[in-house]
Amino acid sequence: MFRIVVTTLLTMTIAACSAIPDQNQDPTKNNLATFRKDWKECREDYPEQGSGIHIRQWEGCMNLKGWK
């Protein structure tokens, strides 16, 4: 029971600290179609890993594409 509680709290903390950027600096690219395309490319470039490092890599990739 203790392990489940600790795991849940840790997961919630990590999820709260990271958020994928969803607003593009370029107004012409600030739409759902472009977001989905860029998001897909970032997920393909940085596949999911058990350690969770892929989330930071996805955030960095989206930042490089102009999403903040």
Side-chain angles (χ1 to χ4, degrees):
M1 180 69 167
F2 177 73
R3 186 175 183 173
I4 294 171
V5 171
V6 170
T7 303
T8 303
L9 289 175
L10 182 61
T11 303
M12 289 172 46
T13 302
I14 290 171
C17 293
S18 63
I20 301 301
D22 63 352
Q23 296 294 317
N24 199 304
Q25 295 174 338
D26 183 353
T28 61
K29 293 182 179 180
N30 197 15
N31 59 57
L32 187 57
T34 304
F35 175 82
R36 286 183 178 164
K37 178 184 154 291
D38 289 347
W39 177 242
K40 181 181 177 188
E41 290 173 0
C42 289
R43 287 190 337 248
E44 289 172 353
D45 291 342
Y46 301 101
E48 289 188 34
Q49 299 177 12
S51 64
I53 191 68
H54 60 279
I55 296 172
R56 295 282 185 210
Q57 292 171 328
W58 292 344
E59 289 175 0
C61 179
M62 291 297 279
N63 284 332
L64 288 174
K65 292 177 179 280
W67 296 92
K68 301 289 179 198

Coordinates of all heavy atoms in Angstrom, one line a residue:
M1 N 0.8 -1.2 0.0 CA 0.0 0.0 0.0 C 0.9 1.3 0.0 O 0.6 2.2 -0.7 CB -0.9 0.0 1.2 CG -1.8 1.2 1.3 SD -3.0 1.1 0.0 CE -4.1 2.3 0.5
F2 N 1.9 1.2 0.8 CA 2.8 2.4 0.9 C 3.5 2.6 -0.4 O 3.6 3.8 -0.9 CB 3.8 2.2 2.0 CG 4.9 3.3 2.1 CD1 4.5 4.5 2.7 CD2 6.1 3.1 1.6 CE1 5.4 5.5 2.8 CE2 7.1 4.1 1.7 CZ 6.7 5.3 2.3
R3 N 3.9 1.6 -1.1 CA 4.6 1.7 -2.4 C 3.7 2.3 -3.4 O 4.1 3.1 -4.2 CB 5.0 0.3 -2.8 CG 5.9 0.3 -4.0 CD 6.4 -1.1 -4.3 NE 7.3 -1.0 -5.5 CZ 8.0 -2.0 -5.9 NH1 8.0 -3.1 -5.3 NH2 8.7 -1.8 -7.0
I4 N 2.4 1.9 -3.4 CA 1.4 2.5 -4.4 C 1.3 4.0 -4.1 O 1.2 4.8 -5.1 CB 0.1 1.8 -4.3 CG1 0.3 0.3 -4.7 CG2 -1.0 2.5 -5.1 CD1 -0.9 -0.6 -4.5
V5 N 1.1 4.4 -2.9 CA 1.0 5.8 -2.5 C 2.2 6.6 -3.0 O 2.1 7.7 -3.6 CB 0.7 6.0 -1.0 CG1 0.7 7.4 -0.6 CG2 -0.6 5.3 -0.7
V6 N 3.4 6.1 -2.7 CA 4.6 6.8 -3.0 C 4.7 6.9 -4.5 O 5.1 8.0 -5.1 CB 5.8 6.1 -2.4 CG1 7.1 6.7 -3.0 CG2 5.8 6.2 -0.9
T7 N 4.5 5.8 -5.2 CA 4.5 5.8 -6.7 C 3.5 6.8 -7.3 O 3.9 7.6 -8.2 CB 4.3 4.4 -7.3 OG1 5.2 3.5 -6.7 CG2 4.4 4.4 -8.8
T8 N 2.3 6.9 -6.8 CA 1.3 7.8 -7.3 C 1.7 9.2 -7.0 O 1.6 10.1 -7.9 CB 0.0 7.5 -6.6 OG1 -0.4 6.2 -6.8 CG2 -1.1 8.4 -7.1
L9 N 2.2 9.6 -5.9 CA 2.7 10.9 -5.5 C 3.9 11.3 -6.4 O 3.9 12.5 -6.9 CB 3.0 11.0 -4.1 CG 1.8 11.0 -3.1 CD1 2.3 11.0 -1.7 CD2 0.9 12.2 -3.3
L10 N 4.8 10.4 -6.6 CA 5.9 10.7 -7.5 C 5.5 11.0 -8.9 O 6.0 12.0 -9.5 CB 6.9 9.6 -7.4 CG 8.2 9.8 -8.2 CD1 9.0 11.0 -7.7 CD2 9.1 8.5 -8.1
T11 N 4.6 10.2 -9.4 CA 4.1 10.4 -10.8 C 3.4 11.7 -10.9 O 3.6 12.5 -11.9 CB 3.2 9.2 -11.2 OG1 3.9 8.0 -11.0 CG2 2.7 9.4 -12.6
M12 N 2.6 12.1 -9.9 CA 1.8 13.3 -10.0 C 2.8 14.5 -9.9 O 2.6 15.5 -10.6 CB 0.8 13.4 -8.9 CG -0.3 12.4 -9.1 SD -1.5 12.3 -7.7 CE -1.7 13.9 -7.1
T13 N 3.8 14.4 -9.1 CA 4.8 15.5 -9.0 C 5.6 15.7 -10.3 O 5.7 16.8 -10.8 CB 5.8 15.2 -7.9 OG1 5.1 15.0 -6.7 CG2 6.8 16.3 -7.7
I14 N 6.0 14.6 -10.9 CA 6.7 14.7 -12.2 C 5.8 15.3 -13.3 O 6.2 16.2 -14.0 CB 7.2 13.4 -12.6 CG1 8.4 12.9 -11.7 CG2 7.7 13.4 -14.1 CD1 8.8 11.5 -11.9
A15 N 4.5 14.9 -13.3 CA 3.6 15.4 -14.3 C 3.3 16.9 -14.1 O 3.1 17.6 -15.1 CB 2.3 14.6 -14.3
A16 N 3.2 17.3 -12.9 CA 3.0 18.7 -12.6 C 4.1 19.6 -12.9 O 3.9 20.8 -13.3 CB 2.6 18.9 -11.1
C17 N 5.3 19.1 -12.9 CA 6.5 19.9 -13.2 C 6.8 20.1 -14.7 O 7.5 20.9 -15.1 CB 7.7 19.3 -12.5 SG 7.7 19.4 -10.7
S18 N 6.2 19.2 -15.5 CA 6.5 19.3 -16.9 C 5.2 19.4 -17.7 O 4.2 18.8 -17.4 CB 7.2 18.1 -17.3 OG 6.5 16.9 -17.1
A19 N 5.3 20.3 -18.6 CA 4.1 20.5 -19.5 C 4.6 20.7 -20.9 O 5.6 21.5 -21.1 CB 3.3 21.6 -19.0
I20 N 4.0 20.1 -21.9 CA 4.4 20.3 -23.3 C 4.0 21.7 -23.7 O 2.8 22.0 -23.6 CB 3.9 19.2 -24.2 CG1 4.3 17.8 -23.7 CG2 4.2 19.4 -25.6 CD1 5.8 17.6 -23.7
P21 N 4.9 22.5 -24.3 CA 4.5 23.8 -24.8 C 3.4 23.7 -25.8 O 3.4 22.8 -26.7 CB 5.8 24.4 -25.4 CG 6.9 23.5 -24.9 CD 6.2 22.2 -24.5
D22 N 2.4 24.6 -25.8 CA 1.3 24.6 -26.7 C 1.0 25.9 -27.4 O 0.0 26.0 -28.1 CB 0.0 24.1 -26.0 CG -0.4 25.0 -24.9 OD1 0.3 25.9 -24.6 OD2 -1.5 24.8 -24.3
Q23 N 1.8 26.9 -27.3 CA 1.6 28.2 -27.9 C 2.9 28.5 -28.8 O 4.0 28.5 -28.3 CB 1.4 29.3 -26.9 CG 0.2 29.2 -26.1 CD -1.1 29.3 -26.9 OE1 -1.2 30.1 -27.8 NE2 -2.0 28.4 -26.7
N24 N 2.7 28.6 -30.1 CA 3.8 28.9 -31.0 C 4.0 30.4 -31.1 O 3.1 31.2 -31.1 CB 3.6 28.3 -32.4 CG 4.8 28.2 -33.2 OD1 5.6 29.1 -33.3 ND2 5.1 27.0 -33.6
Q25 N 5.3 30.8 -31.2 CA 5.7 32.2 -31.3 C 5.2 32.8 -32.6 O 5.0 34.0 -32.7 CB 7.2 32.4 -31.1 CG 7.7 32.0 -29.7 CD 9.2 32.0 -29.6 OE1 9.9 31.9 -30.6 NE2 9.7 32.2 -28.4
D26 N 5.2 32.0 -33.6 CA 4.8 32.4 -34.9 C 3.3 32.3 -35.1 O 2.7 31.2 -35.0 CB 5.5 31.6 -36.0 CG 5.2 32.0 -37.4 OD1 4.3 32.9 -37.6 OD2 5.8 31.4 -38.3
P27 N 2.5 33.4 -35.2 CA 1.1 33.3 -35.3 C 0.5 32.4 -36.4 O -0.5 31.8 -36.3 CB 0.6 34.8 -35.5 CG 1.8 35.6 -35.0 CD 3.0 34.7 -35.3
T28 N 1.3 32.3 -37.5 CA 0.8 31.5 -38.6 C 0.9 30.0 -38.3 O 0.2 29.2 -38.9 CB 1.6 31.8 -39.9 OG1 3.0 31.5 -39.7 CG2 1.4 33.3 -40.3
K29 N 1.8 29.6 -37.4 CA 2.0 28.2 -37.0 C 1.2 27.9 -35.7 O 1.2 26.7 -35.3 CB 3.4 27.9 -36.8 CG 4.2 28.0 -38.0 CD 5.7 27.7 -37.8 CE 6.5 27.7 -39.0 NZ 7.9 27.3 -38.7
N30 N 0.5 28.8 -35.1 CA -0.1 28.6 -33.8 C -1.5 28.0 -34.1 O -2.6 28.7 -33.9 CB -0.2 29.9 -33.1 CG -0.5 29.7 -31.6 OD1 -0.4 28.6 -31.1 ND2 -0.9 30.7 -30.9
N31 N -1.6 26.8 -34.6 CA -2.8 26.1 -34.8 C -2.7 24.6 -34.5 O -1.6 24.1 -34.3 CB -3.3 26.3 -36.3 CG -2.3 25.8 -37.3 OD1 -1.9 24.6 -37.3 ND2 -1.8 26.7 -38.2
L32 N -3.8 23.9 -34.4 CA -3.8 22.5 -33.9 C -3.1 21.6 -34.9 O -2.4 20.7 -34.5 CB -5.3 22.1 -33.7 CG -5.4 20.7 -33.1 CD1 -4.7 20.6 -31.7 CD2 -6.9 20.4 -32.9
A33 N -3.3 21.8 -36.2 CA -2.7 21.0 -37.2 C -1.1 21.0 -37.1 O -0.5 20.0 -37.2 CB -3.1 21.4 -38.6
T34 N -0.6 22.2 -37.0 CA 0.9 22.4 -36.9 C 1.4 21.8 -35.6 O 2.4 21.1 -35.6 CB 1.3 23.8 -37.0 OG1 0.8 24.4 -38.3 CG2 2.8 24.0 -37.0
F35 N 0.6 22.0 -34.5 CA 1.0 21.4 -33.2 C 1.1 19.9 -33.3 O 2.1 19.3 -32.9 CB 0.0 21.9 -32.2 CG 0.3 21.2 -30.8 CD1 1.2 21.7 -30.0 CD2 -0.4 20.1 -30.4 CE1 1.5 21.1 -28.8 CE2 -0.1 19.5 -29.2 CZ 0.8 20.0 -28.4
R36 N 0.1 19.3 -33.9 CA 0.1 17.8 -34.0 C 1.2 17.3 -34.8 O 1.8 16.3 -34.5 CB -1.3 17.3 -34.5 CG -2.4 17.5 -33.5 CD -3.7 16.9 -34.1 NE -4.7 17.0 -33.1 CZ -6.0 16.9 -33.3 NH1 -6.4 16.7 -34.6 NH2 -6.9 16.9 -32.3
K37 N 1.5 18.0 -35.9 CA 2.6 17.6 -36.8 C 3.9 17.7 -36.1 O 4.7 16.7 -36.1 CB 2.6 18.5 -38.0 CG 3.8 18.2 -39.0 CD 3.7 19.2 -40.1 CE 5.1 19.4 -40.8 NZ 6.1 20.1 -40.0
D38 N 4.2 18.8 -35.4 CA 5.4 19.0 -34.7 C 5.5 18.0 -33.5 O 6.6 17.4 -33.2 CB 5.5 20.4 -34.1 CG 5.8 21.4 -35.2 OD1 6.2 21.0 -36.4 OD2 5.7 22.6 -35.0
W39 N 4.4 17.8 -32.8 CA 4.4 16.9 -31.7 C 4.7 15.4 -32.1 O 5.5 14.7 -31.5 CB 3.0 17.0 -31.0 CG 2.8 16.0 -29.9 CD1 1.8 15.1 -29.8 CD2 3.4 16.0 -28.6 NE1 1.9 14.4 -28.6 CE2 2.9 15.0 -27.9 CE3 4.5 16.7 -28.1 CZ2 3.3 14.6 -26.6 CZ3 4.9 16.4 -26.8 CH2 4.3 15.4 -26.1
K40 N 4.2 15.0 -33.3 CA 4.4 13.7 -33.8 C 5.9 13.6 -34.2 O 6.5 12.5 -33.9 CB 3.5 13.5 -35.0 CG 3.7 12.1 -35.6 CD 2.8 11.9 -36.9 CE 3.1 10.6 -37.5 NZ 2.4 10.4 -38.8
E41 N 6.5 14.6 -34.8 CA 7.9 14.5 -35.2 C 8.8 14.4 -33.9 O 9.7 13.6 -33.9 CB 8.3 15.8 -36.0 CG 7.7 15.8 -37.3 CD 7.9 17.1 -38.1 OE1 8.6 18.0 -37.5 OE2 7.5 17.3 -39.2
C42 N 8.5 15.1 -32.9 CA 9.3 15.1 -31.7 C 9.1 13.7 -31.0 O 10.1 13.2 -30.5 CB 8.8 16.2 -30.7 SG 9.3 17.8 -31.2
R43 N 7.9 13.1 -31.0 CA 7.8 11.8 -30.4 C 8.5 10.7 -31.2 O 9.0 9.8 -30.7 CB 6.3 11.4 -30.3 CG 5.6 12.2 -29.2 CD 4.2 11.7 -29.0 NE 3.5 11.0 -30.0 CZ 2.5 11.4 -30.7 NH1 1.9 12.6 -30.4 NH2 2.0 10.7 -31.7
E44 N 8.6 10.9 -32.6 CA 9.3 10.0 -33.4 C 10.8 10.1 -33.2 O 11.6 9.1 -33.2 CB 9.0 10.2 -34.9 CG 7.6 9.7 -35.2 CD 7.2 10.1 -36.6 OE1 7.9 10.9 -37.3 OE2 6.1 9.7 -37.1
D45 N 11.3 11.4 -33.0 CA 12.7 11.6 -32.8 C 13.2 11.1 -31.5 O 14.4 10.7 -31.3 CB 13.0 13.1 -33.0 CG 12.9 13.6 -34.4 OD1 12.9 12.8 -35.3 OD2 12.8 14.8 -34.6
Y46 N 12.4 11.2 -30.5 CA 12.7 10.8 -29.1 C 11.7 9.8 -28.6 O 10.7 10.2 -27.9 CB 12.8 12.1 -28.2 CG 13.8 13.1 -28.6 CD1 13.3 14.2 -29.3 CD2 15.1 12.9 -28.4 CE1 14.3 15.2 -29.7 CE2 16.0 13.9 -28.8 CZ 15.6 15.0 -29.5 OH 16.5 15.9 -29.9
P47 N 11.9 8.5 -28.8 CA 10.9 7.5 -28.4 C 10.9 7.5 -26.8 O 11.8 7.9 -26.1 CB 11.5 6.2 -28.9 CG 12.9 6.5 -29.3 CD 13.0 8.0 -29.5
E48 N 9.7 6.9 -26.3 CA 9.5 6.8 -24.9 C 10.6 5.9 -24.3 O 10.9 4.9 -24.9 CB 8.1 6.3 -24.6 CG 7.0 7.3 -24.9 CD 5.7 6.8 -24.5 OE1 5.6 6.1 -23.4 OE2 4.7 7.1 -25.1
Q49 N 11.0 6.3 -23.1 CA 12.0 5.5 -22.3 C 11.5 5.3 -20.9 O 10.7 6.1 -20.4 CB 13.3 6.2 -22.3 CG 13.9 6.4 -23.7 CD 15.2 7.2 -23.6 OE1 15.8 7.4 -22.5 NE2 15.7 7.6 -24.8
G50 N 11.8 4.2 -20.3 CA 11.4 3.8 -19.0 C 11.8 4.9 -17.9 O 11.1 5.0 -16.9
S51 N 12.8 5.6 -18.2 CA 13.3 6.5 -17.1 C 12.5 7.8 -17.2 O 12.6 8.6 -16.2 CB 14.8 6.9 -17.4 OG 14.9 7.5 -18.6
G52 N 11.8 8.1 -18.2 CA 11.0 9.3 -18.3 C 11.7 10.5 -18.9 O 11.1 11.6 -19.1
I53 N 13.0 10.3 -19.3 CA 13.8 11.4 -19.9 C 13.2 11.9 -21.2 O 13.4 13.0 -21.6 CB 15.2 11.0 -20.1 CG1 16.1 12.1 -20.4 CG2 15.4 9.9 -21.2 CD1 16.3 13.1 -19.3
H54 N 12.4 11.0 -21.8 CA 11.8 11.4 -23.1 C 10.9 12.7 -23.0 O 10.8 13.4 -24.0 CB 11.0 10.3 -23.8 CG 9.9 9.8 -22.9 ND1 10.1 8.9 -21.8 CD2 8.6 10.0 -22.9 CE1 8.9 8.7 -21.3 NE2 8.0 9.3 -21.9
I55 N 10.3 12.9 -21.9 CA 9.4 14.0 -21.7 C 10.2 15.3 -21.8 O 9.8 16.2 -22.5 CB 8.6 13.9 -20.3 CG1 7.7 12.7 -20.3 CG2 7.8 15.2 -20.1 CD1 7.1 12.4 -19.0
R56 N 11.3 15.4 -21.1 CA 12.2 16.6 -21.2 C 12.7 16.8 -22.7 O 12.8 17.9 -23.1 CB 13.4 16.5 -20.3 CG 13.0 16.4 -18.8 CD 12.7 17.8 -18.4 NE 12.4 17.8 -16.9 CZ 11.6 18.6 -16.3 NH1 11.0 19.5 -17.0 NH2 11.4 18.5 -15.0
Q57 N 13.0 15.7 -23.3 CA 13.4 15.7 -24.7 C 12.3 16.3 -25.6 O 12.6 17.1 -26.5 CB 13.9 14.4 -25.2 CG 15.2 13.9 -24.5 CD 15.6 12.5 -24.8 OE1 14.7 11.6 -25.0 NE2 16.9 12.2 -24.8
W58 N 11.1 15.8 -25.4 CA 10.0 16.3 -26.2 C 9.8 17.8 -25.9 O 9.5 18.6 -26.9 CB 8.7 15.6 -25.8 CG 8.6 14.1 -26.2 CD1 9.4 13.5 -27.1 CD2 7.7 13.1 -25.7 NE1 9.1 12.2 -27.2 CE2 8.0 11.9 -26.4 CE3 6.7 13.2 -24.8 CZ2 7.3 10.7 -26.1 CZ3 6.0 12.0 -24.6 CH2 6.3 10.8 -25.2
E59 N 9.9 18.2 -24.7 CA 9.7 19.7 -24.4 C 10.8 20.5 -25.1 O 10.5 21.5 -25.7 CB 9.9 19.9 -22.9 CG 8.7 19.4 -22.1 CD 8.9 19.5 -20.6 OE1 10.0 20.0 -20.1 OE2 8.0 19.2 -19.8
G60 N 12.0 20.0 -25.1 CA 13.1 20.7 -25.7 C 12.9 20.8 -27.2 O 13.1 21.8 -27.9
C61 N 12.5 19.7 -27.8 CA 12.2 19.6 -29.2 C 11.1 20.6 -29.6 O 11.2 21.3 -30.6 CB 11.8 18.2 -29.6 SG 11.3 17.9 -31.3
M62 N 10.0 20.6 -28.8 CA 8.9 21.6 -29.1 C 9.4 23.0 -29.0 O 9.0 23.9 -29.7 CB 7.7 21.3 -28.2 CG 7.0 20.0 -28.5 SD 6.3 19.9 -30.2 CE 4.8 20.8 -29.9
N63 N 10.2 23.3 -28.0 CA 10.8 24.6 -27.8 C 11.6 25.1 -29.0 O 11.5 26.2 -29.5 CB 11.6 24.7 -26.5 CG 10.8 24.8 -25.3 OD1 9.6 25.3 -25.3 ND2 11.3 24.3 -24.2
L64 N 12.4 24.1 -29.6 CA 13.2 24.4 -30.8 C 12.3 24.7 -32.0 O 12.7 25.5 -32.9 CB 14.1 23.3 -31.1 CG 15.3 23.1 -30.1 CD1 16.1 21.8 -30.5 CD2 16.2 24.3 -30.2
K65 N 11.1 24.2 -32.0 CA 10.2 24.4 -33.1 C 9.4 25.7 -32.9 O 8.5 26.0 -33.7 CB 9.3 23.2 -33.3 CG 10.0 21.9 -33.8 CD 9.1 20.8 -33.9 CE 9.8 19.6 -34.4 NZ 9.9 19.5 -35.8
G66 N 9.6 26.4 -31.8 CA 9.0 27.7 -31.6 C 7.8 27.6 -30.6 O 7.1 28.6 -30.4
W67 N 7.5 26.5 -30.0 CA 6.4 26.3 -29.1 C 6.8 26.7 -27.7 O 7.9 26.2 -27.2 CB 5.8 24.9 -29.1 CG 5.3 24.5 -30.5 CD1 5.9 23.9 -31.5 CD2 3.9 24.8 -30.9 NE1 5.1 23.8 -32.6 CE2 3.9 24.3 -32.3 CE3 2.8 25.4 -30.4 CZ2 2.7 24.4 -33.0 CZ3 1.7 25.5 -31.1 CH2 1.6 25.0 -32.4
K68 N 6.1 27.5 -27.0 CA 6.4 28.0 -25.7 C 5.2 27.7 -24.8 O 4.1 27.6 -25.1 CB 6.8 29.4 -25.6 CG 8.0 29.8 -26.5 CD 9.2 29.3 -25.9 CE 10.4 29.6 -26.8 NZ 11.5 28.8 -26.6

